[in-house]
Amino acid sequence: MGNLTSIKQSSQQNKTFSSKDGLSLEEVNNTVSLPKNAGFWRKLAAYSGPGALVAVGYMDPGNWITSIAGGAQFGYTLLSVILLSSLVAMLLQVMAAKLGIVTGKDLAQAQRESCSKPVAITLWIMTELAIMATDIAEVIGGAVALQLLFKIPLVVGVLITTLDVLLLLLLTKVGFRKIEAIVFTLIATILIVFFYEVLLSSPSIGPMLKGFIPSVEIATNTGMLLIALGIVGATVMPHNLYLHSSIVQTRQYDRSLEGKREAVRFAKIDSHFQLTIAFVINCLLLVLGAAMFFGTTSDLGRFTDLYNALSDNAIVGAVASPLLSTLFAVALLASGQNSTITGTLSGQIVMEGFIQMKIPGWLRRIVTRLLAIIPVIICVVIFGDRENAVEELLLYTQVFLSVALPFAIIPLTIFTSDKKRMGEFANPAWVKYLSWTIAIVLTVLNIFLIYGTFAGLEIG
């Protein structure tokens, strides 16, 4: 009887919230059923999925250049940076998931509720630009992969990436679990490809394990520091915090106190597991760069360079083959497809959350994608492939993400540390102070990254 009462109260609360603010991702909110009276593993399987969509942002094309170039130039030393970045990401993503589950609001809605309309609009513009920057990176990655695999011109490849929007519309109609299943399949593809390529590269196990121990040299070597900051900037991205705070609400968990406890528990497990996979993939990228290219070449600033190098015996030796190059391009295409799906969802979340703009789903997704492909098309039309213009654009999108990051981390830390808002789920003191430390350190380091980029220092 008590459980029935809590469900009715939860339903009433959802109706009240919906009429006032609108549910986050309303068409899929509270749509994924959960088994009743099931064991741990069945429940975990039902709750799993949002973590995979979030993990995509931690292994997108923006990570590839920095990680592989870092391995090619400095061996295994920067593995420690990937480890620390992943631990930071795990902490922040759990905070974002907890905010969505406990309050029933995503990060954008919580920010709008806590500030004036002009400030909300300013934050919306900043976040939309960050999502557009993310989408640009994914569009470039997908278009370059199509060019490498099928010799499709970049402009045509960019236009083809808009088909992701149609795919997302179709999948939303047949169920959110279908989106999660496709994303997880693409993640598995990336993992298998790079695991195979790393096995062929025969990395040095001793130096690789040593690379997970932080080195003072990272802070004293300017070139190494800049690549390290590039890895951090490409790993911890603001749109993932908005995304996670929303998509955890797709589950039909009991909105009672006990139901939220269970949802938070399984969201943590799902997030940590999927981000561990992302951590492994990023490590594989850097190990591949170190094992195959360290001491042979550092001219790996473009996807095309990497593609060609993998089939060049003069660079990678006897393991070089067209198959390695093809698998690399397949993984790049999978990464781009994955990330564009989640980027489009993030665009919807922030548009509705910050400014409460309700437009048809198909139009919203097309607008989100057009905002991303227009700068890429302009770049391709004006510069073509001259001076690596398209992939330089990708570099600057990562820099802009560094600018936007504090605008997501700081509010997230404030909201999840507020006992009035979060109750028993509020951050304990150590998490609160650690989160503030992370926010401050990342802000300072990102300022240095921005300075280094526009001062003409080499990042990769």
Coordinates of all heavy atoms in Angstrom, one line a residue, residues 216-271:
V216 N 57.0 14.2 -13.3 CA 57.2 15.6 -13.1 C 57.5 16.2 -14.5 O 57.2 17.4 -14.7 CB 58.4 15.9 -12.2 CG1 58.7 17.3 -12.1 CG2 58.1 15.3 -10.8
E217 N 58.0 15.4 -15.4 CA 58.3 15.9 -16.7 C 57.1 16.5 -17.5 O 57.3 17.4 -18.3 CB 59.0 14.8 -17.5 CG 59.5 15.3 -18.9 CD 60.1 14.1 -19.7 OE1 59.9 13.0 -19.3 OE2 60.6 14.4 -20.8
I218 N 56.0 16.0 -17.2 CA 54.7 16.5 -17.8 C 54.5 18.0 -17.6 O 54.1 18.7 -18.4 CB 53.5 15.7 -17.3 CG1 53.7 14.2 -17.7 CG2 52.2 16.3 -17.9 CD1 52.6 13.3 -17.2
A219 N 54.8 18.4 -16.3 CA 54.7 19.8 -16.0 C 55.8 20.7 -16.5 O 55.6 21.9 -16.7 CB 54.5 19.9 -14.5
T220 N 57.0 20.1 -16.6 CA 58.2 20.9 -17.0 C 58.5 21.0 -18.5 O 59.1 21.9 -18.9 CB 59.4 20.4 -16.2 OG1 59.6 19.0 -16.6 CG2 59.2 20.4 -14.7
N221 N 58.0 20.0 -19.2 CA 58.1 20.0 -20.7 C 56.9 20.7 -21.3 O 55.8 20.1 -21.3 CB 58.3 18.6 -21.1 CG 58.6 18.5 -22.6 OD1 58.0 19.1 -23.5 ND2 59.5 17.6 -23.0
T222 N 57.1 21.8 -21.9 CA 56.0 22.6 -22.5 C 55.2 21.8 -23.5 O 54.0 21.8 -23.5 CB 56.5 23.9 -23.1 OG1 57.2 24.7 -22.1 CG2 55.3 24.8 -23.6
G223 N 55.9 21.2 -24.4 CA 55.2 20.4 -25.5 C 54.4 19.3 -24.9 O 53.3 19.1 -25.3
M224 N 55.0 18.6 -23.9 CA 54.3 17.5 -23.3 C 53.1 18.0 -22.5 O 52.0 17.4 -22.5 CB 55.2 16.7 -22.4 CG 54.6 15.4 -21.8 SD 55.8 14.5 -20.7 CE 57.1 14.1 -21.9
L225 N 53.2 19.2 -21.8 CA 52.1 19.7 -21.0 C 51.0 20.1 -21.9 O 49.8 19.9 -21.6 CB 52.6 20.9 -20.2 CG 51.6 21.7 -19.4 CD1 51.0 20.7 -18.4 CD2 52.2 22.9 -18.7
L226 N 51.3 20.7 -23.1 CA 50.2 21.1 -24.0 C 49.4 20.0 -24.5 O 48.2 20.0 -24.7 CB 50.8 22.0 -25.1 CG 51.2 23.4 -24.7 CD1 52.0 24.1 -25.9 CD2 50.0 24.2 -24.4
I227 N 50.1 18.9 -24.9 CA 49.4 17.7 -25.3 C 48.6 17.1 -24.2 O 47.5 16.6 -24.4 CB 50.4 16.6 -25.9 CG1 51.0 17.1 -27.2 CG2 49.7 15.3 -26.1 CD1 51.8 16.1 -27.9
A228 N 49.2 17.1 -23.0 CA 48.4 16.6 -21.8 C 47.1 17.4 -21.6 O 46.1 16.8 -21.3 CB 49.3 16.7 -20.6
L229 N 47.2 18.7 -21.8 CA 46.0 19.6 -21.6 C 45.1 19.3 -22.7 O 43.8 19.4 -22.6 CB 46.4 21.0 -21.6 CG 47.3 21.5 -20.4 CD1 47.6 23.0 -20.5 CD2 46.5 21.2 -19.1
G230 N 45.6 19.0 -23.9 CA 44.7 18.7 -25.0 C 43.9 17.4 -24.7 O 42.8 17.3 -25.1
I231 N 44.6 16.4 -24.1 CA 43.9 15.2 -23.7 C 42.8 15.4 -22.7 O 41.7 14.9 -22.8 CB 45.0 14.2 -23.2 CG1 45.9 13.7 -24.3 CG2 44.3 13.0 -22.5 CD1 47.1 12.8 -23.8
V232 N 43.2 16.3 -21.7 CA 42.1 16.6 -20.7 C 41.0 17.3 -21.3 O 39.8 17.0 -21.1 CB 42.8 17.5 -19.6 CG1 41.7 18.0 -18.6 CG2 43.8 16.7 -18.8
G233 N 41.3 18.3 -22.2 CA 40.2 19.1 -22.9 C 39.3 18.3 -23.8 O 38.1 18.5 -23.9
A234 N 39.9 17.2 -24.4 CA 39.1 16.4 -25.3 C 38.4 15.3 -24.5 O 37.6 14.6 -25.0 CB 40.1 15.7 -26.3
T235 N 38.7 15.1 -23.2 CA 38.1 14.0 -22.4 C 37.0 14.5 -21.6 O 35.8 14.0 -21.7 CB 39.2 13.4 -21.5 OG1 40.3 12.9 -22.2 CG2 38.6 12.3 -20.6
V236 N 37.1 15.6 -20.8 CA 36.1 16.1 -20.0 C 35.3 17.2 -20.7 O 35.8 18.3 -20.8 CB 36.6 16.6 -18.6 CG1 35.5 17.0 -17.7 CG2 37.5 15.6 -18.0
M237 N 34.2 16.9 -21.2 CA 33.4 17.8 -22.1 C 32.1 18.2 -21.5 O 31.4 17.3 -20.9 CB 33.2 17.2 -23.5 CG 34.6 17.1 -24.2 SD 34.3 16.7 -26.0 CE 33.6 15.1 -25.9
P238 N 31.7 19.4 -21.6 CA 30.5 19.9 -20.9 C 29.2 19.3 -21.3 O 28.3 19.0 -20.5 CB 30.5 21.4 -21.2 CG 31.4 21.6 -22.4 CD 32.4 20.5 -22.3
H239 N 29.0 19.0 -22.6 CA 27.7 18.5 -23.1 C 27.4 17.1 -22.4 O 26.2 16.8 -22.3 CB 27.7 18.4 -24.6 CG 28.4 17.1 -25.1 ND1 29.7 17.0 -25.2 CD2 27.9 16.0 -25.6 CE1 30.1 15.9 -25.7 NE2 28.9 15.2 -26.0
N240 N 28.4 16.4 -22.0 CA 28.1 15.1 -21.4 C 27.4 15.2 -20.0 O 26.7 14.3 -19.6 CB 29.4 14.3 -21.2 CG 29.7 13.4 -22.3 OD1 28.8 12.9 -23.1 ND2 31.0 13.0 -22.5
L241 N 27.7 16.3 -19.3 CA 27.1 16.5 -18.0 C 25.6 16.8 -18.2 O 24.7 16.3 -17.4 CB 27.8 17.7 -17.3 CG 29.3 17.5 -17.1 CD1 29.9 18.7 -16.4 CD2 29.5 16.2 -16.2
Y242 N 25.2 17.6 -19.2 CA 23.8 17.9 -19.5 C 23.1 16.6 -20.0 O 22.0 16.3 -19.6 CB 23.7 19.0 -20.6 CG 24.2 20.3 -20.1 CD1 25.5 20.7 -20.4 CD2 23.4 21.2 -19.4 CE1 26.0 22.0 -20.0 CE2 23.8 22.4 -19.0 CZ 25.1 22.8 -19.3 OH 25.6 24.0 -18.8
L243 N 23.8 15.9 -20.8 CA 23.2 14.6 -21.4 C 22.9 13.6 -20.3 O 21.8 13.1 -20.2 CB 24.2 14.0 -22.4 CG 23.8 12.7 -23.1 CD1 22.6 12.9 -24.0 CD2 25.0 12.1 -23.9
H244 N 23.9 13.4 -19.4 CA 23.7 12.3 -18.4 C 22.6 12.7 -17.4 O 21.8 11.8 -17.0 CB 25.0 12.1 -17.7 CG 25.2 10.7 -17.1 ND1 26.3 10.3 -16.5 CD2 24.3 9.7 -17.1 CE1 26.2 9.1 -16.1 NE2 25.0 8.6 -16.4
S245 N 22.5 14.0 -17.1 CA 21.5 14.4 -16.1 C 20.1 14.2 -16.6 O 19.1 14.2 -15.9 CB 21.7 15.8 -15.7 OG 21.5 16.7 -16.8
S246 N 20.0 14.1 -18.0 CA 18.7 13.9 -18.6 C 18.3 12.4 -18.9 O 17.3 11.9 -18.5 CB 18.6 14.7 -19.9 OG 17.4 14.4 -20.6
I247 N 19.3 11.7 -19.5 CA 18.9 10.4 -20.0 C 18.8 9.4 -18.9 O 18.2 8.3 -19.1 CB 19.9 9.9 -21.1 CG1 21.3 9.8 -20.5 CG2 19.9 10.8 -22.3 CD1 22.4 9.3 -21.5
V248 N 19.3 9.6 -17.7 CA 19.1 8.7 -16.6 C 17.6 8.7 -16.2 O 17.1 7.7 -15.6 CB 19.9 9.0 -15.3 CG1 21.4 8.7 -15.6 CG2 19.7 10.5 -14.9
Q249 N 16.9 9.7 -16.6 CA 15.5 9.8 -16.3 C 14.6 9.0 -17.2 O 13.3 9.0 -17.1 CB 15.0 11.3 -16.3 CG 15.7 12.1 -15.2 CD 15.3 13.6 -15.3 OE1 14.1 13.9 -15.3 NE2 16.3 14.5 -15.4
T250 N 15.2 8.3 -18.2 CA 14.4 7.5 -19.1 C 13.9 6.3 -18.4 O 12.9 5.6 -18.9 CB 15.2 7.1 -20.4 OG1 16.4 6.4 -19.9 CG2 15.6 8.3 -21.2
R251 N 14.5 5.9 -17.3 CA 14.1 4.7 -16.6 C 12.9 4.9 -15.8 O 12.7 6.0 -15.2 CB 15.3 4.2 -15.7 CG 16.2 3.2 -16.3 CD 16.7 3.6 -17.7 NE 17.5 2.6 -18.3 CZ 18.0 2.7 -19.5 NH1 17.8 3.8 -20.2 NH2 18.7 1.7 -20.1
Q252 N 12.0 3.9 -15.7 CA 10.8 3.9 -14.9 C 11.0 3.5 -13.5 O 10.3 2.7 -12.9 CB 9.7 3.1 -15.6 CG 9.2 3.5 -16.9 CD 8.2 2.6 -17.5 OE1 8.0 1.5 -17.1 NE2 7.5 3.1 -18.6
Y253 N 12.0 4.2 -12.9 CA 12.3 3.9 -11.5 C 11.2 4.6 -10.6 O 10.6 5.6 -11.0 CB 13.7 4.3 -11.1 CG 14.0 5.8 -11.3 CD1 13.7 6.8 -10.3 CD2 14.6 6.2 -12.5 CE1 13.9 8.1 -10.5 CE2 14.8 7.6 -12.7 CZ 14.5 8.5 -11.7 OH 14.8 9.8 -11.9
D254 N 11.0 4.0 -9.4 CA 10.0 4.6 -8.5 C 10.6 5.9 -8.0 O 11.7 6.0 -7.5 CB 9.8 3.6 -7.3 CG 8.8 4.1 -6.3 OD1 8.3 5.2 -6.5 OD2 8.4 3.3 -5.4
R255 N 9.8 7.0 -8.2 CA 10.3 8.3 -7.8 C 10.3 8.6 -6.3 O 10.4 9.7 -5.8 CB 9.5 9.4 -8.6 CG 10.2 9.9 -9.9 CD 10.4 8.9 -10.9 NE 11.0 9.4 -12.1 CZ 11.3 8.7 -13.2 NH1 11.2 7.4 -13.2 NH2 11.8 9.3 -14.3
S256 N 10.1 7.5 -5.5 CA 10.1 7.6 -4.1 C 11.6 7.7 -3.6 O 12.5 7.5 -4.4 CB 9.4 6.4 -3.4 OG 10.2 5.2 -3.7
L257 N 11.8 7.9 -2.3 CA 13.2 8.0 -1.8 C 13.9 6.7 -2.0 O 15.1 6.7 -2.5 CB 13.1 8.3 -0.3 CG 14.5 8.6 0.4 CD1 15.1 9.8 -0.2 CD2 14.2 8.8 1.9
E258 N 13.3 5.6 -1.8 CA 13.9 4.3 -1.9 C 14.2 4.0 -3.4 O 15.3 3.4 -3.8 CB 13.0 3.2 -1.3 CG 13.7 1.8 -1.3 CD 15.0 1.7 -0.6 OE1 15.1 2.4 0.5 OE2 15.9 1.0 -1.0
G259 N 13.3 4.4 -4.3 CA 13.5 4.2 -5.7 C 14.6 5.0 -6.2 O 15.4 4.5 -7.1
K260 N 14.8 6.2 -5.7 CA 15.9 7.1 -6.1 C 17.2 6.5 -5.6 O 18.2 6.6 -6.3 CB 15.7 8.5 -5.6 CG 14.6 9.2 -6.3 CD 14.4 10.6 -5.6 CE 13.2 11.4 -6.3 NZ 13.0 12.7 -5.7
R261 N 17.2 5.9 -4.4 CA 18.5 5.3 -3.9 C 18.9 4.2 -4.9 O 20.1 4.1 -5.2 CB 18.2 4.7 -2.5 CG 18.1 5.7 -1.4 CD 18.1 5.0 -0.1 NE 17.8 6.0 1.0 CZ 16.8 5.8 1.8 NH1 16.0 4.8 1.7 NH2 16.6 6.7 2.8
E262 N 17.9 3.3 -5.3 CA 18.3 2.2 -6.2 C 18.8 2.8 -7.6 O 19.8 2.3 -8.1 CB 17.1 1.4 -6.4 CG 17.4 0.2 -7.4 CD 16.2 -0.7 -7.6 OE1 16.0 -1.6 -6.8 OE2 15.4 -0.5 -8.6
A263 N 18.1 3.8 -8.1 CA 18.4 4.4 -9.4 C 19.8 5.0 -9.3 O 20.6 4.8 -10.3 CB 17.4 5.4 -9.8
V264 N 20.1 5.7 -8.3 CA 21.5 6.3 -8.1 C 22.5 5.2 -8.1 O 23.6 5.3 -8.7 CB 21.5 7.2 -6.9 CG1 23.0 7.6 -6.6 CG2 20.7 8.5 -7.1
R265 N 22.3 4.2 -7.3 CA 23.2 3.1 -7.2 C 23.5 2.4 -8.5 O 24.7 2.2 -8.8 CB 22.6 2.0 -6.2 CG 23.5 0.7 -6.0 CD 22.7 -0.3 -5.4 NE 23.4 -1.6 -5.2 CZ 22.9 -2.8 -5.1 NH1 21.5 -2.9 -5.0 NH2 23.6 -3.9 -4.9
F266 N 22.5 2.1 -9.3 CA 22.8 1.5 -10.6 C 23.3 2.4 -11.6 O 24.1 2.0 -12.5 CB 21.5 0.8 -11.1 CG 21.2 -0.5 -10.4 CD1 20.2 -0.6 -9.5 CD2 22.0 -1.6 -10.6 CE1 19.9 -1.8 -8.8 CE2 21.7 -2.9 -10.0 CZ 20.7 -2.9 -9.1
A267 N 23.0 3.7 -11.5 CA 23.5 4.7 -12.4 C 25.0 4.8 -12.2 O 25.8 5.0 -13.2 CB 22.8 6.0 -12.2
K268 N 25.5 4.7 -11.0 CA 26.9 4.8 -10.7 C 27.6 3.6 -11.3 O 28.7 3.8 -11.9 CB 27.1 4.8 -9.1 CG 26.8 6.1 -8.4 CD 27.1 5.9 -6.9 CE 26.8 7.2 -6.2 NZ 27.1 7.0 -4.7
I269 N 27.1 2.4 -11.1 CA 27.7 1.2 -11.7 C 27.8 1.3 -13.2 O 28.8 1.0 -13.8 CB 27.0 0.0 -11.3 CG1 27.0 -0.2 -9.7 CG2 27.6 -1.3 -11.9 CD1 26.1 -1.3 -9.2
D270 N 26.7 1.7 -13.8 CA 26.6 1.8 -15.3 C 27.6 2.8 -15.8 O 28.4 2.6 -16.7 CB 25.2 2.2 -15.7 CG 25.0 2.5 -17.2 OD1 25.6 1.7 -18.0 OD2 24.4 3.5 -17.5
S271 N 27.7 4.0 -15.1 CA 28.6 5.1 -15.5 C 30.0 4.6 -15.4 O 30.8 4.8 -16.3 CB 28.3 6.3 -14.7 OG 29.2 7.4 -15.1

